[in-house]
């Protein structure tokens, strides 16, 4: 029997390839093509429209950094909005913060949620049953455009800026997020791997600057997202990046978190970016 391979289609002239041990699910949802397959090294892998979204092996890096960095920076978060994140990984990490009172999650594709529960249960680890969760199957842009609620942290766990995810990188989307943040609120976004997707980072920076008092980027190296460091956008309504290691250590200890990548030292270090990223 010949081997099957999945070739990622994110870049026109460069790709990574995964050997498929077994296809667990493949279909066209209402919004996108979805495949979940088994790989010997990365475990279960999910791809949308030909682009790898998450794997069992390394998902914790992305999900921990996109979640705990803003929540522990803020220090008094009660209400969180998750945009996207249908696999449940961000939700799992957010739900670890027992002081939160409300978690709102808006995912456009119900099939992503249902299939992730079935085939990627280690991502959510039961977090979809959290009593604080208000899960909405809706277009996130439509939701945020009409939202009158306020949040302490908004986490945009979106696909790349193409297809249904493209509008979630727009000026108007960020403006609506800004409007829906409390006075000390923080918006964080995934902005791809800067080595290949520098325009995505530059565009986000330019769109954040008129809105937020504090604009920055931080990074993490996620093996699945090849090409160097992945960057996350940071827009805050107040100055949040002057925390000491001692303060972060206290907050981390008080939160009683169990993490595999994130820790307070990594938190502070992640905002130090290499020159090739700063130069763009």
């Amino acid at each position: 029997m010949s081997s099957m391979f999945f070739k990622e289609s994110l870049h026109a002239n460069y790709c990574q390839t995964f050997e498929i041990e077994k296809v667990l699910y493949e279909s066209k949802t209402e919004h996108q093509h979805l495949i979940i397959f088994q790989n010997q090294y990365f475990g279960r892998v999910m791809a949308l429209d030909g682009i790898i979204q998450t794997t069992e092996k390394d998902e914790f890096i992305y999900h921990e950094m996109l979640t705990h960095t803003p929540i522990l920076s803020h220090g008094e978060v009660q209400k969180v909005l998750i945009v996207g994140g249908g696999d449940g990984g961000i939700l799992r990490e957010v739900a670890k913060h027992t002081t939160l009172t409300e978690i709102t999650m808006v995912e456009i594709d119900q099939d992503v949620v249902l299939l992730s529960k079935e085939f990627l249960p280690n991502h959510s680890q039961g977090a979809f049953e959290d009593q604080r969760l208000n899960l909405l199957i809706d277009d996130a842009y439509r939701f945020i455009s009409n939202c009158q609620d306020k949040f302490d942290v908004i986490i945009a766990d979106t696909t790349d800026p193409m297809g249904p995810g493209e509008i979630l990188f727009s000026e108007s989307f960020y403006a609506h997020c800004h409007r829906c943040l409390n006075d000390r609120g923080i918006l964080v976004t995934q902005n791809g791997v800067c080595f290949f997707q520098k325009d995505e980072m530059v565009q986000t920076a330019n769109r954040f600057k008129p809105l937020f008092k504090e604009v920055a980027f931080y990074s993490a190296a996620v093996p699945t997202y090849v090409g160097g460091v992945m960057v996350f956008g940071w827009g805050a309504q107040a100055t949040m990046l002057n925390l000491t290691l001692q303060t972060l250590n206290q907050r981390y200890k008080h939160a009683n978190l169990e993490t595999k990548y994130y820790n307070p030292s990594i938190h502070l270090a992640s905002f130090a970016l290499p020159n090739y990223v700063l130069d763009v």
Side-chain angles (χ1 to χ4, degrees):
M1 178 181 176
S2 60
S3 298
M4 295 187 297
F5 293 90
F6 177 90
K7 283 189 174 183
E8 187 175 39
S9 60
L10 180 59
H11 307 293
N13 54 4
Y14 172 85
C15 72
Q16 60 174 331
T17 302
F18 292 75
E19 184 173 11
I20 299 174
E21 288 188 310
K22 181 182 180 181
V23 174
L24 301 171
Y25 183 90
E26 183 174 13
S27 183
K28 180 77 167 63
T29 74
E30 182 182 352
H31 300 280
Q32 53 209 332
H33 177 270
L34 184 152
I35 182 172
I36 300 173
F37 61 87
Q38 184 77 29
N39 174 266
Q40 184 176 0
Y41 188 79
F42 283 98
R44 294 186 173 188
V45 180
M46 181 170 71
L48 297 174
D49 288 338
I51 301 171
I52 300 295
Q53 301 299 309
T54 188
T55 81
E56 287 184 314
K57 182 79 170 183
D58 66 0
E59 56 83 15
F60 66 93
I61 304 172
Y62 173 89
H63 291 133
E64 289 180 7
M65 288 300 288
L66 200 51
T67 299
H68 304 308
T69 308
I71 290 179
L72 291 182
S73 290
H74 186 286
E76 297 177 331
V77 174
Q78 291 190 320
K79 297 174 65 175
V80 170
L81 170 64
I82 303 169
V83 175
D87 58 61
I90 293 289
L91 175 60
R92 178 197 70 219
E93 295 302 315
V94 168
K96 290 179 179 180
H97 292 269
T98 57
T99 56
L100 268 61
T101 58
E102 295 181 32
I103 305 168
T104 303
M105 178 174 168
V106 186
E107 166 62 53
I108 194 172
D109 198 333
Q110 184 173 21
D111 287 342
V112 172
V113 174
L114 295 175
L115 293 167
S116 295
K117 286 182 179 180
E118 181 176 356
F119 294 105
L120 297 168
N122 288 331
H123 274 55
S124 58
Q125 295 181 12
F128 283 107
E129 310 307 317
D130 194 297
Q131 295 300 305
R132 297 168 295 172
L133 173 65
N134 178 25
L135 174 61
L136 304 172
I137 303 301
D138 197 0
D139 181 288
Y141 185 83
R142 180 169 57 220
F143 169 84
I144 202 73
S145 299
N146 298 302
C147 182
Q148 300 302 314
D149 209 349
K150 295 280 189 177
F151 304 93
D152 300 307
V153 166
I154 299 176
I155 300 172
D157 179 15
T158 61
T159 57
D160 287 287
M162 56 189 73
E166 185 173 6
I167 197 168
L168 303 183
F169 291 77
S170 66
E171 293 177 55
S172 56
F173 175 74
Y174 294 145
H176 285 305
C177 288
H178 174 267
R179 176 179 55 79
C180 291
L181 284 170
N182 285 319
D183 291 342
R184 296 179 62 249
I186 302 169
L187 168 66
V188 290
T189 61
Q190 78 83 7
N191 279 108
V193 176
C194 189
F195 191 82
F196 289 114
Q197 298 163 289
K198 66 179 181 180
D199 291 344
E200 189 176 319
M201 177 182 175
V202 172
Q203 185 181 73
T204 296
N206 289 335
R207 291 174 178 176
F208 272 22
K209 284 175 182 177
L211 298 172
F212 296 101
K213 179 176 181 178
E214 185 175 72
V215 176
F217 290 86
Y218 64 106
S219 70
V222 185
T224 299
Y225 310 135
V226 296
V229 295
M230 178 170 219
V231 292
F232 306 99
W234 175 279
Q237 304 279 55
T239 301
M240 295 287 183
L241 297 182
N242 57 355
L243 293 171
T244 65
L245 180 60
Q246 181 183 10
T247 297
L248 277 174
N249 275 325
Q250 289 172 345
R251 292 178 181 179
Y252 181 71
K253 184 177 180 180
H254 181 71
N256 196 29
L257 296 174
E258 290 187 11
T259 53
K260 294 195 289 183
Y261 184 89
Y262 176 93
N263 60 52
S265 294
I266 287 285
H267 178 134
L268 293 178
S270 69
F271 285 90
L273 300 174
N275 283 347
Y276 81 86
V277 178
L278 294 174
D279 286 345
V280 302

